[in-house]
Amino acid sequence: MEEQGTTTRRGSVAWALVITSVAGFMAALDNLVVTTALPSIRRDLGGGLADLEWTVSAYTLTFAVLLMFGAALGDRFGRRKLFVIGIGIFSTASAAAALAPGMGELIAARAVQGVGAAILMPLTLTLLTAAVPAERRGTAFGIWGAANGVAVATGPLIGGALTEHVSWHWIFWLNVPLGLLLIPLARLRLDESRGPNARLDIPGTLLASGGLFGLVYGLIRGTADGWTSTWVLTGLIVGAVLLGGFVRHGIRGKNPMLPMRLFRSRAFSAINAASLLMFLGMFGSIFLLSQFLQGVGGYSPMEAGVRMLPWTGMPLLLAPIAGAVSDRIGGRPVVATGLALQAIGLALFALVISPDVSYASQLPAMVISGIGMSLFFAPSAHLVMSSVRPEEQGIASGANNALREVGGALGIAVLASVFSAQGGYESAARFADGLSPALWVGASAVALGAVAALAAPRLRRTETAVRPVDDRERVAAAG
């Protein structure tokens, strides 16, 4: 179906694929590239655990909250135009992060990076869809997805290599030349397009942003300031109230960014709960384990990144197999099995962690966690798309991606709070004392995600397989 506002100027399919894949890689990379650089950042800029948490969470929070809003901006004002603006914001904020003289400035720059990523990331697929003929979109989406998968898999390794051989500043400088290259290419090689009936939900965006910020602030500061301190209680209470307002807005509001009617579907509720819990346990654990490998294990940043590849890189090998298996037996058992394996992997980490633990002792936990992660991604995306009507797939995909990012931010806040309550950075023994209970919390969260996945009903094949789907729906299904 032809979208409104598409110009007649022809864009090159190859150029569109290159531009959108590189932009998606750039935004996805920043989710994990910082993890192996955290000890070096802490040594150079100072700060405590809460500052390191915000270095990661400031990006994931703004990314999550503004993801659907960014897509709506592109639909309304022009996707190519907003895509270029998003790259500009992301690149400028990356330079600001590289030049940051202190933790406060770095955290602020990371938050602005998240804003840029939230604008450009959802538009990569809509622009790709507009440029690629329908019969070739499956291949194009596969290449785009592979680029994002490589970013996630190699994030800790790239961050570690740049930190060790150049400096941690270059994990941010890396984005600047890419952005300067992509902006003119996007303007010259991509067609402009707009979405039909695009509306902006500003009240919903403000409620979600304020609510999530309040909760994450309270969780991050709770151990350091005391759970009954004025600012912590204010953050938790106001955050909960605002999120309650967001839910109410989703029920009663006109054209809300996240209609709460979608959660009447048990399948949609179950897979989104599973996704949030998976990212809560996984991101929080990677945040702490990358620091453990360097601070306690004695590995360099690059060595730590390499040693995390059996976990973060496993989806590159096994995700296609997981997708094929889910096509044969259904996505629910594959997702539940993947989450169960991820939980077992984190539990094994918790059992073996000690100040003098060898890498060989940690390797089984990494491999099992990597297999579990591989079984989760592709089947879970299919379950999300299958749980709603075709005309709601765009909203459903955006909601699922946003909830994953929220889960990552909450995971870092929750697991770091457990870590700081039981341990600290003072010695290897103190780090291990805090890490073990934090990993048990992460394992428990992912195990609950497995239970949530099993709560989803078996989905029968529906008419969506033969029903014509418009461009926006194809984009959602690919994401």
Side-chain angles (χ1 to χ4, degrees):
M1 185 170 71
E2 196 71 32
E3 296 214 75
Q4 296 178 2
T6 303
T7 66
T8 58
R9 185 173 62 84
R10 292 184 178 180
S12 166
V13 171
W15 276 114
L17 184 57
V18 170
I19 292 167
T20 57
S21 294
V22 172
F25 174 89
M26 190 169 64
L29 184 69
D30 268 57
N31 255 332
L32 286 176
V33 72
V34 175
T35 54
T36 45
L38 289 173
S40 297
I41 292 173
R42 182 169 175 264
R43 283 194 299 270
D44 282 0
L45 300 184
L49 178 63
D51 298 302
L52 296 182
E53 292 175 66
W54 278 117
T55 301
V56 180
S57 295
Y59 180 81
T60 56
L61 263 184
T62 51
F63 189 9
V65 170
L66 298 176
L67 191 65
M68 289 184 281
F69 190 68
L73 284 172
D75 286 348
R76 181 164 183 175
F77 297 109
R79 292 164 178 163
R80 185 186 65 187
K81 180 190 298 183
L82 265 295
F83 179 70
V84 169
I85 291 173
I87 294 173
I89 293 172
F90 186 85
S91 302
T92 302
S94 296
L99 294 169
M103 290 299 291
E105 293 85 355
L106 176 60
I107 291 166
R110 288 284 287 164
V112 179
Q113 268 192 304
V115 174
I119 296 172
L120 75 90
M121 191 66 165
L123 297 178
T124 57
L125 275 175
T126 48
L127 287 166
L128 187 60
T129 298
V132 179
E135 66 273 11
R136 297 167 62 186
R137 284 176 188 155
T139 301
F141 291 157
I143 296 171
W144 180 92
N148 282 268
V150 170
V152 173
T154 60
L157 177 59
I158 292 174
L162 289 173
T163 300
E164 181 176 343
H165 296 296
V166 191
S167 79
W168 64 262
H169 303 84
W170 277 91
I171 65 177
F172 302 116
W173 280 126
L174 178 67
N175 297 322
V176 177
L178 289 176
L180 292 175
L181 179 65
L182 287 173
I183 288 173
L185 285 177
R187 290 182 60 84
L188 293 171
R189 299 293 182 175
L190 296 179
D191 290 334
E192 184 60 283
S193 65
R194 289 177 171 83
N197 304 316
R199 296 181 177 89
L200 302 178
D201 181 14
I202 294 176
T205 301
L206 293 175
L207 287 169
S209 304
L212 288 169
F213 177 83
L215 284 182
V216 172
Y217 175 85
L219 289 169
I220 287 176
R221 297 303 308 173
T223 302
D225 297 345
W227 292 101
T228 58
S229 67
T230 301
W231 283 109
V232 170
L233 282 177
T234 299
L236 294 174
I237 293 171
V238 172
V241 170
L242 290 176
L243 286 181
F246 176 72
V247 172
R248 185 176 184 274
H249 175 72
I251 296 172
R252 299 187 178 184
K254 186 177 181 181
N255 300 309
M257 62 188 293
L258 180 56
M260 291 298 142
R261 69 174 184 276
L262 296 179
F263 291 94
R264 295 173 187 167
S265 163
R266 183 157 60 96
F268 183 79
S269 297
I271 190 58
N272 277 287
S275 296
L276 187 146
L277 290 165
M278 162 67 172
F279 274 67
L280 192 156
M282 180 190 70
F283 258 75
S285 299
I286 290 175
F287 171 78
L288 293 171
L289 283 166
S290 62
Q291 296 179 69
F292 177 83
L293 286 172
Q294 294 179 65
V296 178
Y299 299 110
S300 69
M302 184 174 177
E303 289 171 341
V306 169
R307 280 161 176 76
M308 293 188 75
L309 280 177
W311 185 358
T312 59
M314 192 71 74
L316 289 178
L317 301 176
L318 298 184
I321 299 173
V325 172
S326 68
D327 286 341
R328 294 180 63 89
I329 67 174
R332 184 182 69 162
V334 179
V335 168
T337 300
L339 290 170
L341 288 174
Q342 177 74 86
I344 291 170
L346 293 178
L348 287 177
F349 267 123
L351 287 171
V352 302
I353 284 296
S354 67
D356 56 353
V357 64
S358 67
Y359 177 70
S361 299
Q362 300 173 64
L363 188 58
M366 291 215 179
V367 172
I368 292 172
S369 294
I371 295 172
M373 187 190 298
S374 304
L375 296 179
F376 171 80
F377 284 118
S380 67
H382 177 70
L383 285 175
V384 171
M385 294 302 108
S386 302
S387 66
V388 297
R389 297 191 298 268
E391 62 270 19
E392 296 174 327
Q393 287 182 337
I395 297 173
S397 177
N400 183 255
N401 285 321
L403 285 170
R404 290 182 181 189
E405 297 294 332
V406 169
L410 290 175
I412 291 170
V414 171
L415 268 65
S417 294
V418 175
F419 167 83
S420 59
Q422 301 294 322
Y425 290 105
E426 298 86 358
S427 66
R430 286 283 292 161
F431 201 111
D433 287 345
L435 180 57
S436 182
L439 290 174
W440 280 116
V441 172
S444 300
V446 180
L448 287 175
V451 174
L454 289 173
R458 286 187 177 274
L459 295 174
R460 296 174 294 180
R461 293 188 180 273
T462 66
E463 295 178 357
T464 58
V466 294
R467 175 176 174 169
V469 181
D470 69 23
D471 284 346
R472 297 176 73 188
E473 291 159 9
R474 292 181 191 277
V475 169

